[in-house]
Coordinates of all heavy atoms in Angstrom, one line a residue:
G1 N 125.7 118.7 83.9 CA 124.8 118.0 84.8 C 123.3 118.5 84.7 O 122.9 118.8 83.6
A2 N 122.7 118.5 85.8 CA 121.3 118.8 85.9 C 121.0 120.2 85.4 O 120.0 120.5 84.7 CB 120.7 118.6 87.3
F3 N 121.8 121.1 85.7 CA 121.6 122.6 85.3 C 121.7 122.7 83.8 O 120.9 123.4 83.1 CB 122.5 123.5 86.1 CG 122.4 123.4 87.5 CD1 123.4 122.8 88.3 CD2 121.3 123.9 88.2 CE1 123.2 122.7 89.7 CE2 121.1 123.8 89.5 CZ 122.1 123.2 90.3
Q4 N 122.7 122.1 83.2 CA 122.9 122.1 81.8 C 121.7 121.4 81.1 O 121.2 121.9 80.1 CB 124.2 121.5 81.4 CG 124.5 121.6 79.9 CD 124.8 123.1 79.5 OE1 125.3 123.8 80.3 NE2 124.4 123.4 78.3
A5 N 121.2 120.3 81.6 CA 120.1 119.6 81.0 C 118.8 120.5 81.0 O 118.1 120.6 80.1 CB 119.8 118.3 81.8
C6 N 118.6 121.2 82.1 CA 117.5 122.2 82.2 C 117.6 123.2 81.1 O 116.6 123.6 80.5 CB 117.4 122.8 83.6 SG 116.8 121.7 84.8
V7 N 118.7 123.8 81.0 CA 119.0 124.9 80.0 C 118.8 124.4 78.6 O 118.1 125.0 77.8 CB 120.4 125.5 80.2 CG1 120.7 126.4 79.1 CG2 120.5 126.3 81.5
Q8 N 119.3 123.2 78.3 CA 119.2 122.6 77.0 C 117.7 122.3 76.6 O 117.3 122.4 75.4 CB 120.1 121.5 76.8 CG 121.6 121.9 76.8 CD 122.5 120.7 76.6 OE1 122.1 119.5 76.9 NE2 123.7 121.0 76.3
T9 N 117.0 121.8 77.6 CA 115.7 121.3 77.3 C 114.5 122.3 77.6 O 113.4 122.1 77.2 CB 115.3 120.0 78.1 OG1 115.4 120.3 79.5 CG2 116.3 118.9 77.7
G10 N 114.9 123.3 78.4 CA 113.9 124.3 78.8 C 113.1 123.8 80.0 O 112.1 124.5 80.3
A11 N 113.5 122.7 80.6 CA 112.7 122.2 81.7 C 113.0 123.1 83.0 O 114.1 123.6 83.2 CB 113.2 120.8 82.1
R12 N 111.9 123.3 83.7 CA 112.0 124.2 84.9 C 112.7 123.4 86.0 O 112.7 122.1 86.0 CB 110.6 124.5 85.5 CG 109.9 125.4 84.5 CD 108.6 125.8 85.0 NE 107.7 124.6 85.1 CZ 106.5 124.5 85.7 NH1 106.0 125.6 86.1 NH2 105.9 123.4 85.6
L13 N 113.4 124.1 86.9 CA 114.2 123.5 88.0 C 113.5 123.7 89.3 O 113.1 124.8 89.6 CB 115.6 124.1 88.0 CG 116.5 123.5 89.1 CD1 117.0 122.1 88.7 CD2 117.7 124.4 89.3
Q14 N 113.4 122.6 90.0 CA 112.7 122.6 91.4 C 113.8 122.5 92.5 O 114.1 121.4 92.8 CB 111.6 121.6 91.5 CG 110.9 121.5 92.9 CD 110.1 122.7 93.1 OE1 109.1 122.9 92.4 NE2 110.5 123.5 94.1
P15 N 114.3 123.6 93.0 CA 115.3 123.4 94.1 C 114.6 122.9 95.3 O 113.5 123.3 95.6 CB 115.8 124.9 94.3 CG 115.3 125.7 93.1 CD 114.1 125.0 92.6
V16 N 115.4 122.1 96.1 CA 114.9 121.5 97.3 C 116.0 121.6 98.4 O 117.1 121.3 98.1 CB 114.5 120.0 97.1 CG1 114.1 119.4 98.4 CG2 113.4 119.9 96.0
A17 N 115.6 122.2 99.6 CA 116.5 122.3 100.6 C 116.2 121.2 101.7 O 115.1 121.0 102.0 CB 116.5 123.6 101.3
I18 N 117.3 120.4 102.1 CA 117.1 119.4 103.1 C 118.0 119.7 104.2 O 119.2 119.9 104.1 CB 117.5 118.0 102.4 CG1 116.7 117.6 101.2 CG2 117.5 116.9 103.5 CD1 117.2 116.4 100.5
S19 N 117.4 119.8 105.4 CA 118.2 120.2 106.6 C 117.9 119.1 107.7 O 116.8 118.6 107.8 CB 117.9 121.6 107.1 OG 116.5 121.7 107.4
G20 N 118.9 118.9 108.5 CA 118.8 118.0 109.6 C 119.4 116.6 109.3 O 119.5 115.8 110.2
S21 N 119.7 116.3 108.1 CA 120.1 114.9 107.7 C 121.5 114.6 108.3 O 121.8 113.4 108.6 CB 120.1 114.8 106.2 OG 121.0 115.7 105.6
R22 N 122.4 115.6 108.5 CA 123.8 115.3 109.0 C 123.7 114.9 110.5 O 124.5 114.2 111.0 CB 124.7 116.5 108.8 CG 125.1 116.6 107.4 CD 126.3 117.5 107.3 NE 126.6 117.8 105.9 CZ 127.4 117.1 105.1 NH1 128.0 116.1 105.6 NH2 127.6 117.5 103.9
R23 N 122.7 115.5 111.2 CA 122.5 115.0 112.7 C 122.1 113.6 112.7 O 122.5 112.9 113.6 CB 121.6 115.9 113.3 CG 122.1 117.3 113.7 CD 121.1 118.1 114.5 NE 119.8 118.2 114.0 CZ 119.4 119.2 113.1 NH1 120.2 120.1 112.7 NH2 118.2 119.2 112.7
I24 N 121.3 113.2 111.8 CA 120.7 111.8 111.8 C 121.7 110.8 111.2 O 121.8 109.7 111.8 CB 119.4 111.7 111.0 CG1 118.4 112.6 111.8 CG2 118.9 110.4 110.8 CD1 117.1 112.8 111.0
L25 N 122.4 111.2 110.2 CA 123.4 110.3 109.6 C 124.7 111.1 109.3 O 124.9 111.6 108.2 CB 122.8 109.7 108.3 CG 123.7 108.6 107.6 CD1 123.8 107.4 108.5 CD2 123.1 108.2 106.3
P26 N 125.5 111.2 110.3 CA 126.8 112.0 110.1 C 127.7 111.3 109.1 O 127.6 110.1 108.8 CB 127.5 111.9 111.5 CG 126.3 111.5 112.5 CD 125.4 110.8 111.7
Q27 N 128.5 112.1 108.5 CA 129.4 111.7 107.4 C 130.3 110.5 108.0 O 130.8 110.6 109.1 CB 130.3 112.8 106.9 CG 131.1 112.4 105.8 CD 131.9 113.6 105.2 OE1 131.7 114.7 105.7 NE2 132.6 113.3 104.2
G28 N 130.4 109.4 107.2 CA 131.2 108.3 107.7 C 130.4 107.2 108.4 O 130.9 106.2 108.7
E29 N 129.2 107.5 108.9 CA 128.4 106.6 109.6 C 127.5 105.8 108.7 O 127.2 106.2 107.6 CB 127.5 107.3 110.6 CG 128.2 108.1 111.7 CD 128.9 107.2 112.7 OE1 128.4 106.1 113.0 OE2 130.0 107.6 113.1
W30 N 127.2 104.6 109.1 CA 126.4 103.7 108.3 C 125.0 103.5 108.8 O 124.1 102.9 108.2 CB 127.1 102.3 108.1 CG 128.3 102.4 107.3 CD1 129.6 102.7 107.7 CD2 128.4 102.4 105.9 NE1 130.4 102.7 106.7 CE2 129.7 102.5 105.5 CE3 127.4 102.2 104.9 CZ2 130.1 102.5 104.2 CZ3 127.8 102.2 103.6 CH2 129.2 102.3 103.2
V31 N 124.8 103.8 110.1 CA 123.5 103.6 110.8 C 122.9 105.0 111.1 O 123.5 105.8 111.8 CB 123.6 102.7 112.0 CG1 122.3 102.6 112.7 CG2 124.2 101.4 111.7
A32 N 121.7 105.2 110.6 CA 121.0 106.4 110.9 C 120.4 106.4 112.3 O 119.9 105.4 112.8 CB 119.8 106.7 109.9
G33 N 120.5 107.6 113.0 CA 119.9 107.8 114.3 C 118.4 108.4 114.1 O 117.9 108.5 113.0
K34 N 117.8 108.7 115.3 CA 116.5 109.2 115.3 C 116.6 110.7 115.2 O 117.6 111.3 115.7 CB 115.7 108.8 116.5 CG 115.4 107.4 116.6 CD 114.6 107.1 117.8 CE 114.3 105.5 117.8 NZ 113.4 105.2 119.0
G35 N 115.6 111.3 114.6 CA 115.7 112.8 114.5 C 114.7 113.2 113.4 O 113.9 112.5 112.8
E36 N 114.7 114.6 113.2 CA 113.9 115.2 112.2 C 114.6 115.7 111.0 O 115.7 116.4 111.2 CB 113.1 116.3 112.9 CG 112.1 117.1 112.0 CD 111.4 118.2 112.8 OE1 110.9 118.0 113.9 OE2 111.5 119.3 112.3
I37 N 114.1 115.5 109.9 CA 114.7 116.1 108.7 C 113.6 117.0 108.0 O 112.5 116.6 108.0 CB 115.1 114.9 107.6 CG1 116.2 114.1 108.2 CG2 115.4 115.6 106.3 CD1 116.6 113.0 107.3
R38 N 114.0 118.1 107.6 CA 113.1 119.1 107.0 C 113.4 119.2 105.5 O 114.6 119.4 105.1 CB 113.2 120.4 107.7 CG 112.3 121.5 107.0 CD 112.3 122.7 107.8 NE 111.6 122.5 109.0 CZ 111.4 123.4 110.0 NH1 111.8 124.5 109.8 NH2 110.7 123.0 111.1
V39 N 112.4 119.0 104.7 CA 112.4 119.1 103.3 C 111.6 120.4 102.9 O 110.5 120.4 103.2 CB 112.0 117.9 102.5 CG1 112.1 118.0 101.0 CG2 112.8 116.6 103.0
T40 N 112.3 121.3 102.2 CA 111.6 122.6 101.8 C 111.7 122.7 100.3 O 112.8 122.7 99.7 CB 112.3 123.8 102.4 OG1 112.4 123.6 103.9 CG2 111.5 125.1 102.1
Y41 N 110.5 122.7 99.7 CA 110.5 122.9 98.2 C 110.5 124.5 98.0 O 109.7 125.2 98.5 CB 109.2 122.3 97.6 CG 109.3 120.8 97.7 CD1 108.8 120.1 98.9 CD2 109.8 120.0 96.7 CE1 108.8 118.8 98.9 CE2 109.9 118.6 96.8 CZ 109.4 118.0 97.9 OH 109.5 116.7 98.0
L42 N 111.4 124.9 97.2 CA 111.6 126.3 96.9 C 111.0 126.7 95.6 O 110.5 125.9 94.8 CB 113.1 126.6 96.9 CG 113.8 126.2 98.2 CD1 115.3 126.1 98.1 CD2 113.4 127.0 99.4
S43 N 111.1 128.0 95.3 CA 110.5 128.6 94.1 C 111.1 127.9 92.9 O 112.3 127.8 92.8 CB 110.7 130.1 94.0 OG 110.1 130.7 95.1
T44 N 110.3 127.5 91.9 CA 110.8 126.9 90.7 C 111.5 128.0 89.9 O 111.2 129.2 89.8 CB 109.6 126.4 89.8 OG1 108.8 125.6 90.6 CG2 110.0 125.8 88.6
L45 N 112.6 127.5 89.3 CA 113.4 128.4 88.4 C 113.2 128.1 87.0 O 113.2 126.9 86.6 CB 114.9 128.2 88.8 CG 115.3 128.6 90.3 CD1 116.7 128.2 90.5 CD2 115.0 130.1 90.5
E46 N 113.1 129.1 86.2 CA 112.9 129.0 84.7 C 114.3 129.3 84.0 O 114.9 130.3 84.2 CB 111.9 130.0 84.2 CG 110.5 130.0 84.8 CD 109.8 128.9 84.2 OE1 110.1 128.4 83.1 OE2 108.7 128.5 84.8
P47 N 114.8 128.2 83.3 CA 116.0 128.5 82.6 C 115.8 129.3 81.3 O 114.7 129.5 80.8 CB 116.4 127.1 82.1 CG 115.1 126.3 82.0 CD 114.2 126.9 83.1
G48 N 116.8 130.0 80.9 CA 116.8 130.8 79.7 C 118.0 130.4 78.9 O 118.8 129.6 79.2
G49 N 118.1 131.1 77.8 CA 119.2 130.8 76.9 C 119.5 129.4 76.5 O 118.6 128.6 76.4
G50 N 120.7 129.0 76.6 CA 121.0 127.6 76.2 C 122.5 127.3 76.3 O 123.0 126.3 75.8
D51 N 123.2 128.2 76.9 CA 124.7 128.0 76.9 C 125.2 127.7 78.3 O 124.4 127.7 79.3 CB 125.4 129.2 76.3 CG 125.1 130.5 77.1 OD1 124.5 130.5 78.2 OD2 125.6 131.6 76.6
F52 N 126.5 127.5 78.4 CA 127.1 127.2 79.7 C 126.9 128.3 80.7 O 126.7 128.0 81.9 CB 128.6 126.9 79.5 CG 129.3 126.7 80.8 CD1 129.2 125.3 81.3 CD2 130.1 127.6 81.4 CE1 129.9 125.1 82.6 CE2 130.7 127.3 82.6 CZ 130.6 126.1 83.2
R53 N 127.0 129.6 80.3 CA 126.8 130.7 81.3 C 125.4 130.7 81.9 O 125.2 130.9 83.1 CB 127.0 132.0 80.6 CG 128.5 132.3 80.4 CD 128.7 133.7 79.8 NE 129.4 133.4 78.5 CZ 129.0 133.8 77.3 NH1 128.0 134.7 77.2 NH2 129.6 133.4 76.3
E54 N 124.4 130.3 81.1 CA 123.1 130.2 81.7 C 122.9 129.1 82.7 O 122.3 129.2 83.7 CB 122.1 130.0 80.6 CG 120.6 129.9 81.0 CD 120.1 131.1 81.8 OE1 120.5 132.2 81.5 OE2 119.2 130.9 82.7
A55 N 123.6 127.9 82.4 CA 123.6 126.8 83.4 C 124.3 127.2 84.6 O 123.8 126.9 85.7 CB 124.3 125.6 82.7
A56 N 125.4 128.0 84.5 CA 126.1 128.4 85.7 C 125.2 129.4 86.6 O 125.2 129.4 87.8 CB 127.4 129.1 85.4
Q57 N 124.5 130.3 85.9 CA 123.6 131.2 86.6 C 122.5 130.5 87.3 O 122.1 130.8 88.4 CB 123.1 132.3 85.5 CG 122.2 133.3 86.2 CD 121.7 134.3 85.2 OE1 121.6 134.0 84.0 NE2 121.4 135.5 85.7
L58 N 121.9 129.5 86.6 CA 120.9 128.7 87.2 C 121.4 128.0 88.4 O 120.7 127.9 89.4 CB 120.3 127.7 86.1 CG 119.0 127.0 86.4 CD1 117.9 127.9 86.6 CD2 118.7 125.9 85.3
S59 N 122.6 127.4 88.4 CA 123.2 126.8 89.5 C 123.3 127.8 90.7 O 123.0 127.4 91.9 CB 124.5 126.2 89.1 OG 125.3 125.8 90.3
T60 N 123.8 129.0 90.4 CA 124.0 130.0 91.4 C 122.6 130.4 92.1 O 122.5 130.5 93.3 CB 124.7 131.2 90.9 OG1 126.0 130.8 90.4 CG2 124.8 132.3 91.9
Q61 N 121.6 130.5 91.2 CA 120.3 130.9 91.8 C 119.7 129.8 92.7 O 119.2 130.0 93.8 CB 119.3 131.1 90.6 CG 119.5 132.3 89.8 CD 118.7 132.4 88.6 OE1 118.1 131.4 88.1 NE2 118.4 133.6 88.1
A62 N 119.9 128.5 92.3 CA 119.4 127.4 93.1 C 120.2 127.3 94.4 O 119.6 127.1 95.5 CB 119.6 126.1 92.3
R63 N 121.5 127.4 94.3 CA 122.3 127.3 95.6 C 122.0 128.5 96.5 O 122.0 128.3 97.8 CB 123.8 127.3 95.2 CG 124.2 126.0 94.5 CD 125.7 126.1 94.0 NE 125.9 125.1 93.1 CZ 126.3 123.9 93.4 NH1 126.4 123.5 94.6 NH2 126.5 123.0 92.4
T64 N 121.8 129.7 96.0 CA 121.4 130.8 96.8 C 120.1 130.5 97.6 O 119.9 130.8 98.8 CB 121.3 132.1 96.0 OG1 122.6 132.3 95.4 CG2 120.9 133.3 96.9
Q65 N 119.1 130.1 96.8 CA 117.8 129.7 97.5 C 117.9 128.7 98.5 O 117.4 128.8 99.6 CB 116.8 129.2 96.4 CG 116.1 130.2 95.6 CD 115.0 129.6 94.8 OE1 114.5 128.5 95.0 NE2 114.5 130.4 93.8
I66 N 118.7 127.6 98.2 CA 118.9 126.5 99.2 C 119.6 127.0 100.5 O 119.2 126.7 101.5 CB 119.6 125.4 98.5 CG1 118.8 124.7 97.5 CG2 120.1 124.4 99.6 CD1 119.5 123.8 96.5
A67 N 120.7 127.8 100.3 CA 121.4 128.3 101.4 C 120.6 129.2 102.3 O 120.7 129.2 103.5 CB 122.6 129.1 100.9
S68 N 119.6 129.9 101.7 CA 118.8 130.8 102.5 C 117.9 130.0 103.5 O 117.3 130.6 104.5 CB 117.9 131.7 101.6 OG 116.9 131.0 101.0
C69 N 117.7 128.7 103.2 CA 116.8 127.9 104.1 C 117.6 127.1 105.1 O 116.9 126.5 106.0 CB 116.0 126.9 103.3 SG 114.9 127.7 102.1
L70 N 118.9 127.1 105.0 CA 119.7 126.2 105.9 C 120.2 127.1 107.1 O 120.4 128.3 107.0 CB 120.8 125.7 105.2 CG 120.5 124.8 104.0 CD1 121.8 124.3 103.3 CD2 119.7 123.6 104.4
P71 N 120.5 126.4 108.2 CA 121.1 127.1 109.4 C 122.4 127.7 108.9 O 123.1 127.2 108.1 CB 121.3 126.1 110.4 CG 120.5 124.9 110.0 CD 120.2 125.0 108.5
E72 N 122.7 128.9 109.5 CA 123.9 129.6 109.1 C 125.2 128.8 109.2 O 126.1 128.8 108.4 CB 124.0 130.9 109.8 CG 125.1 131.9 109.4 CD 125.1 133.2 110.1 OE1 124.0 133.8 110.2 OE2 126.1 133.6 110.6
S73 N 125.2 128.0 110.3 CA 126.4 127.2 110.5 C 126.6 126.1 109.4 O 127.7 125.8 109.1 CB 126.3 126.5 111.9 OG 125.2 125.6 111.9
A74 N 125.5 125.6 108.9 CA 125.6 124.6 107.8 C 126.2 125.3 106.5 O 127.0 124.7 105.9 CB 124.3 124.0 107.5
V75 N 125.8 126.5 106.3 CA 126.3 127.2 105.1 C 127.7 127.5 105.2 O 128.6 127.3 104.4 CB 125.4 128.5 104.8 CG1 126.0 129.2 103.7 CG2 124.0 128.0 104.5
E76 N 128.1 128.0 106.4 CA 129.5 128.4 106.7 C 130.4 127.1 106.6 O 131.5 127.2 106.0 CB 129.6 129.0 108.1 CG 129.1 130.4 108.1 CD 129.0 130.9 109.5 OE1 129.5 130.3 110.5 OE2 128.6 132.1 109.7
N77 N 130.0 126.0 107.2 CA 130.8 124.8 107.1 C 131.0 124.4 105.6 O 132.0 123.9 105.2 CB 130.2 123.6 107.9 CG 130.2 123.9 109.4 OD1 131.1 124.6 109.8 ND2 129.4 123.2 110.1
R78 N 130.0 124.4 104.9 CA 130.0 124.0 103.5 C 130.9 124.9 102.7 O 131.7 124.4 101.9 CB 128.5 124.1 102.9 CG 128.4 123.5 101.5 CD 128.1 122.1 101.6 NE 127.8 121.7 100.2 CZ 128.1 120.5 99.8 NH1 128.6 119.6 100.6 NH2 127.8 120.1 98.6
L79 N 130.8 126.2 102.9 CA 131.7 127.1 102.2 C 133.2 127.0 102.6 O 134.0 127.0 101.7 CB 131.3 128.6 102.4 CG 129.9 129.0 101.8 CD1 129.6 130.4 102.3 CD2 129.9 128.9 100.4
S80 N 133.5 126.7 103.8 CA 134.9 126.6 104.2 C 135.5 125.4 103.7 O 136.7 125.3 103.5 CB 134.9 126.6 105.8 OG 134.3 125.4 106.3
R81 N 134.8 124.3 103.3 CA 135.3 123.1 102.7 C 135.7 123.3 101.3 O 136.5 122.5 100.8 CB 134.3 121.9 102.9 CG 134.2 121.5 104.3 CD 133.5 120.1 104.3 NE 132.3 120.3 103.6 CZ 131.1 119.8 104.0 NH1 131.0 119.1 105.1 NH2 130.0 119.9 103.3
H82 N 135.2 124.3 100.7 CA 135.4 124.6 99.2 C 136.5 125.6 99.0 O 136.8 125.9 97.9 CB 134.1 124.9 98.5 CG 133.1 123.8 98.5 ND1 133.3 122.7 97.6 CD2 132.0 123.6 99.1 CE1 132.3 121.9 97.8 NE2 131.5 122.4 98.7
D83 N 137.1 126.2 100.0 CA 138.1 127.2 99.9 C 139.4 126.6 99.6 O 139.8 125.5 99.8 CB 138.3 128.0 101.2 CG 137.1 128.9 101.4 OD1 136.3 129.2 100.4 OD2 136.9 129.4 102.5

């Protein structure tokens, strides 16, 4: 996917954290409600190497940055669904 493409091309990755969207448009709903969504642009990541391991590392770095910007409950809910 995107991480592998960055590694193969040397393109920098711009992680973005979006919070508040689930309150406005809960899963399974078709109509958005009113509310605030926060978009946070995080530090750009520089890919290295060019193999699968580097893409996996880039993915981990991006996810760690994004998780640090989200409310703790959102991160816990996300992690529990992947167990």
Side-chain angles (χ1 to χ4, degrees):
F3 301 107
Q4 187 64 36
C6 286
V7 169
Q8 288 178 346
T9 64
R12 293 180 298 174
L13 179 72
Q14 178 67 67
V16 177
I18 301 172
S19 61
S21 59
R22 288 196 187 268
R23 286 189 304 273
I24 293 172
L25 187 62
Q27 187 172 359
E29 296 291 325
W30 291 92
V31 179
K34 292 183 180 182
E36 180 179 310
I37 294 177
R38 177 173 289 179
V39 178
T40 306
Y41 293 89
L42 304 164
S43 298
T44 303
L45 299 174
E46 298 282 343
D51 61 7
F52 178 78
R53 279 181 247 130
E54 179 61 32
Q57 183 179 24
L58 194 61
S59 170
T60 299
Q61 289 173 336
R63 291 173 196 276
T64 300
Q65 279 192 14
I66 292 167
S68 73
C69 293
L70 300 177
E72 190 173 309
S73 60
V75 174
E76 288 172 0
N77 288 340
R78 185 90 172 148
L79 291 174
S80 66
R81 288 194 306 225
H82 292 288
D83 290 341

